[in-house]
């Protein structure tokens, strides 16, 4: 057996055992739906509005996009709130009183959900099938309210939606997953969490005693330095086969 085969075999042996699934938690972005850079677009619209009010750009449009994406990554990691992100962004572009831009940002983001957020293929089929089987479902997502709730409504998700800005803690912190399990009313070992991000979704769930299901819709490679997922799916309806085992 060559080194690559030994490595794959080792990864396979270390994969957690799949157990009964009595309930399912979901990530939202790039799992149940895709928002097509909605928040980046809102920031660009705020930039345009700020410039009309005497503000200024920092570099080229490409530079601004890089800065916005970095700002959103930091905000989603818990470095600061969405309100603080908007205020800092507007101040840096020469506007002394940014508070009004916060409300405008939130208004535009929520209003853009129907035209920007696209349900992941198979999401309606999956949710209907889980409902028929009596499997409780909930969303646990890093983000802010009410944006994430509107995204969930866009894909016709009717279960509980736990948003980090509301519960005061973010994935991959174990407490976030514990709150999810409490909401679902099941035991961690019988609860699966489905998400596209290995570090915050899969590893976070496994460390909280849950089953971490990696949703790999794009055929990417799972990080070799992270605990293996309990299972991997490439389309959402594949989850039904795991639930029915």
């Amino acid at each position: 057996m060559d080194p690559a085969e030994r490595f794959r075999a080792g990864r396979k042996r270390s994969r957690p055992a799949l157990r009964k699934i009595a309930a399912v938690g979901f990530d939202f972005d790039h799992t149940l739906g895709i928002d097509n850079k909605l928040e980046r677009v809102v920031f660009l619209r705020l930039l345009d509005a700020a410039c009309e009010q005497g503000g200024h750009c920092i570099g080229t449009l490409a530079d601004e996009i890089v800065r916005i994406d970095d700002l959103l990554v930091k905000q989603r990691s818990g470095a600061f709130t969405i309100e603080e992100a908007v205020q800092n962004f507007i101040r840096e572009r020469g506007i002394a009183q940014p508070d009004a831009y916060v409300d405008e940002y939130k208004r535009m983001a929520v209003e853009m959900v129907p035209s920007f957020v696209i349900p992941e293929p198979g999401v309606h089929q999956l949710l209907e099938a889980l409902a028929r089987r009596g499997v409780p479902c909930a969303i646990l997502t890093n983000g802010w309210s009410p944006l994430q709730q509107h995204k969930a409504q866009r894909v016709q998700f009717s279960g509980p939606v736990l948003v980090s800005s509301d519960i005061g803690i973010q994935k991959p912190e174990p407490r976030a997953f514990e709150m999810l399990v409490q909401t679902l009313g099941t035991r961690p070992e019988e609860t699966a969490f489905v998400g596209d991000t290995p570090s915050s979704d899969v590893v976070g769930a496994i460390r909280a005693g849950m089953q971490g299901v990696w949703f790999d819709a794009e055929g990417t490679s799972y990080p070799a330095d992270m605990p293996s997922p309990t299972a991997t799916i490439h389309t959402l309806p594949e989850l039904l086969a795991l639930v029915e085992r």
Side-chain angles (χ1 to χ4, degrees):
M1 182 182 295
D2 64 33
E5 289 175 332
R6 285 197 299 273
F7 175 78
R8 288 192 292 270
R11 283 286 301 277
K12 186 174 181 180
R13 285 194 298 270
S14 65
R15 183 180 295 274
L18 183 67
R19 301 179 295 273
K20 173 187 175 182
I21 296 176
V24 181
F26 292 99
D27 173 46
F28 183 85
D29 293 299
H30 298 282
T31 299
L32 295 183
I34 300 172
D35 73 1
N36 292 293
K37 304 296 183 182
L38 182 156
E39 291 192 84
R40 175 203 283 177
V41 174
V42 179
F43 267 107
L44 289 172
R45 291 184 176 181
L46 285 189
L47 174 63
D48 183 50
C51 290
E52 289 183 355
Q53 297 298 319
H56 56 80
C57 293
I58 300 177
T60 65
L61 180 59
D63 293 332
E64 288 286 13
I65 289 174
V66 171
R67 290 174 180 271
I68 289 168
D69 288 349
D70 181 62
L71 182 70
L72 286 169
V73 168
K74 291 178 179 177
Q75 185 271 316
R76 290 165 183 160
S77 71
F80 35 73
T81 66
I82 190 62
E83 292 84 1
E84 292 168 335
V86 174
Q87 291 168 343
N88 293 338
F89 179 81
I90 294 301
R91 283 197 191 96
E92 289 174 353
R93 282 144 189 86
I95 303 296
Q97 298 179 332
D99 291 352
Y101 289 84
V102 174
D103 291 338
E104 183 66 6
Y105 177 91
K106 291 183 175 181
R107 182 192 65 78
M108 285 195 292
V110 170
E111 289 184 354
M112 288 164 57
V113 166
S115 56
F116 270 70
V117 176
I118 306 299
E120 184 71 32
V123 63
H124 297 148
Q125 173 190 346
L126 171 63
L127 295 177
E128 290 171 0
L130 292 174
R132 287 196 301 270
R133 289 161 174 77
V135 178
C137 299
I139 289 174
L140 173 63
T141 174
N142 290 347
W144 56 273
S145 298
L147 179 61
Q148 295 304 98
Q149 284 91 345
H150 280 265
K151 288 182 181 181
Q153 293 170 10
R154 174 70 178 88
V155 303
Q156 300 177 18
F157 186 87
S158 59
V161 180
L162 282 67
V163 184
S164 61
S165 66
D166 293 332
I167 64 176
I169 196 163
Q170 293 189 310
K171 299 177 296 179
E173 291 297 322
R175 180 59 183 151
F177 291 95
E178 290 169 7
M179 294 177 72
L180 172 67
V181 171
Q182 291 171 4
T183 299
L184 290 168
T186 51
R187 295 181 297 179
E189 64 270 19
E190 292 186 350
T191 306
F193 188 79
V194 183
D196 69 298
T197 306
S199 58
S200 60
D201 295 328
V202 178
V203 176
I206 291 173
R207 287 177 175 167
M210 301 169 63
Q211 302 186 61
V213 178
W214 183 38
F215 178 49
D216 177 26
E218 300 180 359
T220 57
S221 297
Y222 192 88
D225 60 346
M226 292 186 185
S228 297
T230 308
T232 299
I233 59 174
H234 302 283
T235 67
L236 287 178
E238 291 176 32
L239 181 65
L240 289 176
L242 305 182
V243 173
E244 293 172 349
R245 285 186 54 159

